Amino acid sequence: MKRDIELCLTLYALSAEYTTGKFSLEDCLAKAHEMGYTGIELVACQMIPEYPHPSTEWMDMFVGLLKKYELEPVCYSAYIDMGTHSDRDLTEDEIIQSTINDMMYAKYMGFHLVRTQHAISPAIYEKMLPYAKKIGIVLAIEMHHPHNPDVPVWKEFLKIMDKSEGWLGVVPDFSIFAETPHKLNIIQAVEENGCRQEKVDEIIRLHKAGTTKEELPSQDYTEAEMAFVEDVYHTYGTGTANLSWLDAVLPNTVYIHGKFWYLEEDEIDHTIPCDKILPIIKKSGYKGYIASEYEGHHYSDEIDSCEQLGRWVRMSNRILDACE
């Protein structure tokens, strides 16, 4: 029986395997099916060879693969390439046309949702509403760290979504709830960047305790350790996730990115408090997909992405099942 909240896979989670040639596109889809996913997110600029203008032949091939592996096309992730021209940014008209193109391609392949980026600007985003209605595609923007509902531009976006009748929405990314460095981040700081383990542990402990960056004993840290300080305070905020942000975004949430970097064998996310986040999402009445988005490949190419994705799915199912 299908649940109100389903788990899908963003193919970006298999970036390491895809970009190195270990997996083809079909391999990624086959692996998604094998791991029990029922839907996928396609990152268009990464996996469509002719992007931003995929051919009909390629799109038909992709639709055929989805049918072969019994996968639902959940989200088409578009890209606003402001650097298309070397001498200028895209104009408003060019951004609108590019977004319309992506919505049309997504519709052809059976997607009902296009995820765009905050570079679209509130003014342009509001102008996309009639196009979303006419094409029949929900147009959503990803809210990714360091953005959150308190950022002024996001207050504008959310107001626009409020009056869009569901055609414009938000894709909250779990990165906005990250609290403390994950294992791969720590290993990289010590083994690759030369930080002292005891100083890394101290920085993490003080950050968790609510010590501000200015209050740290910076005179005791090397240049590499100060760089780690900047990373920690930029990426993991105050050390405690602001769960009230969920109340601000869930009314307009059409899809969710379940970002994570590393799960150990205990299958608990010690960086992002999924044990608190998922029950709130469930209780809100949200119906739709949460995408597994593993990004540990940014820190290590020695970790098995599929093993990590399997751990995340089991963890999420365990938490969601406990909410039933």
Side-chain angles (χ1 to χ4, degrees):
M1 183 176 69
K2 189 172 182 179
R3 296 188 311 200
D4 287 343
I5 298 177
E6 291 287 305
L7 304 180
C8 74
L9 176 68
T10 170
L11 297 184
Y12 186 70
L14 296 174
S15 288
E17 288 76 8
Y18 180 75
T19 58
T20 59
K22 182 179 179 181
F23 285 1
S24 65
L25 173 59
E26 181 168 1
D27 292 333
C28 291
L29 297 174
K31 185 59 69 172
H33 175 76
E34 179 185 319
M35 290 190 289
Y37 291 101
T38 57
I40 62 95
E41 172 185 328
L42 175 67
V43 182
C45 64
Q46 181 182 54
M47 292 188 169
I48 298 179
E50 305 130 319
Y51 189 79
H53 301 296
S55 64
T56 300
E57 291 75 18
W58 189 94
M59 291 190 288
D60 289 342
M61 177 275 297
F62 180 71
V63 171
L65 289 177
L66 292 180
K67 292 178 180 178
K68 178 178 179 179
Y69 294 105
E70 301 176 312
L71 294 168
E72 180 178 347
V74 175
C75 177
Y76 177 103
S77 285
Y79 179 58
I80 298 175
D81 187 0
M82 298 300 287
T84 299
H85 304 281
S86 61
D87 59 338
R88 63 175 178 84
D89 288 342
L90 294 181
T91 65
E92 179 176 302
D93 286 344
E94 287 171 332
I95 291 174
I96 290 173
Q97 187 60 59
S98 173
T99 304
I100 291 172
N101 292 345
D102 279 317
M103 294 165 74
M104 294 295 291
Y105 297 139
K107 183 73 172 182
Y108 182 89
M109 290 184 277
F111 291 94
H112 302 287
L113 168 70
V114 167
R115 185 232 62 176
T116 187
Q117 300 159 308
H118 70 269
I120 199 170
S121 86
I124 298 175
Y125 190 52
E126 192 164 24
K127 291 180 180 179
M128 295 308 303
L129 178 56
Y131 298 107
K133 289 181 177 180
K134 184 174 181 178
I135 299 170
I137 284 280
V138 175
L139 182 63
I141 308 177
E142 181 178 6
M143 182 185 288
H144 190 285
H145 174 81
H147 283 192
N148 61 63
D150 293 331
V151 173
V153 70
W154 266 100
K155 292 181 179 181
E156 294 184 58
F157 280 132
L158 291 170
K159 285 181 181 178
I160 293 168
M161 294 172 191
D162 284 340
K163 55 187 179 182
S164 73
E165 301 177 332
W167 289 105
L168 304 177
V170 60
V171 180
D173 183 277
F174 280 5
S175 62
I176 68 176
F177 301 111
E179 295 183 324
T180 193
H182 50 88
K183 181 177 179 179
L184 301 183
N185 196 171
I186 295 169
I187 291 174
Q188 184 184 70
V190 175
E191 297 185 3
E192 295 182 25
N193 300 336
C195 296
R196 292 167 290 179
Q197 183 68 60
E198 66 271 19
K199 293 301 180 181
V200 166
D201 294 341
E202 176 182 275
I203 292 165
I204 293 172
R205 175 177 55 79
L206 292 172
H207 174 255
K208 281 184 178 180
T211 305
T212 67
K213 185 170 62 173
E214 291 72 27
E215 293 171 332
L216 293 176
S218 57
Q219 69 278 4
D220 296 340
Y221 301 145
T222 65
E223 184 176 339
E225 288 156 3
M226 282 306 299
F228 181 69
V229 166
E230 293 296 328
D231 181 27
V232 169
Y233 279 80
H234 171 74
T235 306
Y236 308 102
T238 62
T240 302
N242 186 345
L243 299 180
S244 68
W245 286 340
L246 285 167
D247 294 332
V249 299
L250 281 172
N252 289 304
T253 293
V254 294
Y255 179 56
I256 297 171
H257 269 177
K259 169 72 56 56
F260 74 106
W261 290 280
Y262 186 78
L263 296 185
E264 298 191 48
E265 292 182 3
D266 62 5
E267 297 182 354
I268 296 173
D269 195 328
H270 297 283
T271 293
I272 297 170
C274 293
D275 59 327
K276 297 177 182 176
I277 295 169
L278 291 173
I280 294 173
I281 294 172
K282 175 69 177 178
K283 188 176 180 180
S284 76
Y286 169 75
K287 296 180 180 181
Y289 279 93
I290 300 177
S292 298
E293 188 178 34
Y294 169 68
E295 286 198 4
H297 54 264
H298 291 303
Y299 294 85
S300 173
D301 57 6
E302 298 179 358
I303 305 298
D304 186 332
S305 301
C306 294
E307 180 180 62
Q308 286 292 308
L309 289 164
R311 291 177 181 178
W312 194 89
V313 167
R314 289 189 292 273
M315 175 196 71
S316 299
N317 280 329
R318 182 179 70 246
I319 297 170
L320 290 170
D321 288 345
C323 297
E324 296 292 343

